[in-house]
Amino acid sequence: MRIGITCYPTYGGSGALATELGIALAHRGHEVHMISYASPFRLRHFAEHVFFHEVDLTSGAYPLLEHFPYPLALAVTQHEVASRQHLDVLHVHYAVPHATAAFLAKQMLAGERDLKVITTLHGTDITLVGQARSFFTITKFSIERSDAVTAVSDYLRDETYRAFDCQPCKIEVIPNFVNLAEYFPLDAAPRPEFARAGTKLVVHVSNFRQVKRVPEVVRVFARIRAAVPAVLVLIGDGPDRAEAEVETERLGIRDEVFFLGKLDTVADLLQAADLFLLPSTSESFGLAALEAMACGVPVLASRVGGLPEVVVDGECGWLIPAGPRDTEAMAERAIELLRDVPLWRRMREAAVERARLFSADRIVPQYEQLYRKLAGA
Ligand code: GMT
């Protein structure tokens, strides 16, 4: 099939998932056309049958337009690509504004044919941004006008029905997936120099937005490190980085915390890690946690959103309920786990086993099936 995919190119779960999906579909013999304003961060190398189309943000720029109307430029590119490349379906990731642009592209193509639009809801497009007054009605409208809607967890599906009361739409849950050829456990994986010999390696990966509570990651780590020799590696970047750096200084652990910035691929570091921390206030799924689990890393996360659908509490890690003592509780669990080698091994194996349920081989065919049903193929 010929599949168009629109996503954010920036560091984040929806862009990562959409790009991995594009690459996986191409491996399975489809032709994939990625459409965004920049090349997605996980599309760094040539991939057979994957084509990137950049939305033109310059030719329409004019001083009168203080704010460039990106959704219009995106709809134009989606329409052009759909028409020229004879797309069978257009799959957009993150509703705001991608589902709206896709609706416009579909209408523009209506004289020619009926382009089927699939919208995948990822998280903050529903739980935060889409519910903002500026976007609520158009998000609801665009979801309801999509030919198919998927959500990455049961939690997110239910939250969409609750918040938007989407009457006509049937939301199918297709969970996120992990590429097990890239994310797999590696015994005696090479460790970074700063985490050698008897030092535990604690990892966090995110876009450092407020919901991720990166300063909290630092506070939890400070307690861990007071009990167990350990270093913390923070991968990613975003608005809360400065606050997290200040927190390392305040707690006197600056030399044990390594801010690596944005990395396109994190599998090698995850393979060397002993523990993954994700104390988010909200998480529709937790793709970063799944990728850690696939590499054999137990996860300590908040018991929020869709995380319980991914991390089995007490088996592949622990989920800590929000509360006044959650920092201590997370640190206590972490220390227990890092000190108890047999327990750590059990959790490592359970994490790998659990991640297998979310392998690309199991999940990607669910999208293919949906595309075929819509395209009547
Ligand atoms: O984590 C973010 O804020 C990025 C966001 C996105 O849409 O780019 O991630 C969301 O989508 C991911 C992929 O489906 C999920 O794994 C994350 O849980 C979800 N983030 C939140 O719900 C906060």
Side-chain angles (χ1 to χ4, degrees):
M1 296 179 80
R2 291 160 184 259
I3 301 155
I5 294 182
T6 285
C7 64
Y8 279 105
T10 44
Y11 214 71
S14 63
L17 193 280
T19 310
E20 297 287 356
L21 176 62
I23 295 168
L25 288 165
H27 277 149
R28 297 170 71 89
H30 303 285
E31 188 175 297
V32 176
H33 294 269
M34 307 290 301
I35 306 162
S36 191
Y37 61 84
S39 180
F41 76 100
R42 287 218 177 163
L43 192 68
R44 283 292 169 258
H45 303 285
F46 166 69
E48 197 85 54
H49 307 303
V50 179
F51 303 88
F52 170 62
H53 304 264
E54 188 167 324
V55 178
D56 177 8
L57 302 183
T58 53
S59 70
Y62 186 67
L64 182 78
L65 309 178
E66 278 189 27
H67 305 283
F68 186 82
Y70 175 63
L72 300 186
L74 173 61
V76 167
T77 311
Q78 287 172 329
H79 169 252
E80 260 172 33
V81 174
S83 176
R84 268 203 214 120
Q85 307 296 338
H86 307 284
L87 295 185
D88 295 300
V89 292
L90 175 59
H91 186 177
V92 299
H93 293 257
Y94 204 93
V96 186
H98 300 154
T100 313
F103 170 76
L104 289 176
K106 180 183 169 85
Q107 299 308 312
M108 288 157 76
L109 206 67
E112 225 175 281
R113 61 203 164 81
D114 183 18
L115 174 67
K116 299 295 182 185
V117 170
I118 299 115
T119 298
T120 289
L121 310 171
H122 277 274
T124 48
D125 48 349
I126 293 304
T127 57
L128 210 67
V129 183
Q131 290 188 42
R133 220 178 74 78
S134 328
F135 299 128
F136 181 84
T137 49
I138 199 144
T139 304
K140 177 174 159 66
F141 172 85
S142 310
I143 290 172
E144 290 179 349
R145 295 304 168 99
S146 300
D147 295 295
V149 182
T150 76
V152 298
S153 62
D154 290 354
Y155 157 79
L156 191 62
R157 174 200 56 203
D158 297 347
E159 182 55 16
T160 310
Y161 283 134
R162 188 202 64 77
F164 291 92
D165 188 28
C166 293
Q167 292 303 343
C169 61
K170 182 186 163 298
I171 303 173
E172 182 178 346
V173 174
I174 302 184
N176 286 334
F177 63 86
V178 57
N179 175 1
L180 297 182
E182 190 179 345
Y183 293 84
F184 56 88
L186 191 62
D187 288 331
R191 292 165 77 86
E193 222 171 86
F194 51 75
R196 289 256 164 88
T199 307
K200 300 294 182 189
L201 179 57
V202 181
V203 174
H204 170 81
V205 185
S206 79
N207 45 34
F208 288 42
R209 295 196 199 124
Q210 208 183 356
V211 288
K212 304 292 178 181
R213 293 169 85 210
V214 186
E216 179 68 4
V217 174
V218 173
R219 286 190 282 275
V220 171
F221 172 73
R223 286 170 182 270
I224 297 173
R225 184 226 156 245
V228 180
V231 291
L232 172 65
V233 162
L234 293 153
I235 303 169
D237 210 330
D240 279 2
R241 175 165 173 172
E243 194 188 328
E245 295 207 38
V246 169
E247 200 62 356
T248 62
E249 278 160 30
R250 191 183 71 78
L251 295 164
I253 52 169
R254 212 181 139 176
D255 293 343
E256 283 82 38
V257 181
F258 297 84
F259 289 84
L260 301 190
K262 293 177 185 170
L263 298 177
D264 291 345
T265 162
V266 293
D268 44 1
L269 272 166
L270 289 173
Q271 285 167 336
D274 298 293
L275 181 65
F276 189 84
L277 291 181
L278 194 63
S280 312
T281 50
S282 159
E283 204 69 64
S284 68
F285 182 91
L287 182 61
L290 175 62
E291 291 178 340
M293 284 160 58
C295 292
V297 190
V299 172
L300 269 181
S302 324
R303 189 195 292 277
V304 290
L307 274 169
E309 296 172 47
V310 182
V311 182
V312 182
D313 190 23
E315 280 184 28
C316 5
W318 278 291
L319 296 175
I320 310 297
R325 277 199 74 257
D326 56 1
T327 314
E328 291 98 302
M330 201 169 267
E332 277 162 21
R333 284 301 198 188
I335 294 163
E336 181 187 346
L337 183 60
L338 294 175
R339 279 183 173 159
D340 185 339
V341 177
L343 173 65
W344 184 83
R345 287 229 171 87
R346 277 202 304 280
M347 288 206 157
R348 172 181 173 81
E349 277 159 28
V352 173
E353 203 53 43
R354 178 79 185 153
R356 287 208 183 107
L357 298 177
F358 299 92
S359 74
D361 290 348
R362 275 171 174 255
I363 308 297
V364 175
Q366 297 181 33
Y367 282 116
E368 282 177 303
Q369 206 180 348
L370 179 62
Y371 299 158
R372 289 207 181 93
K373 191 173 85 187
L374 286 175

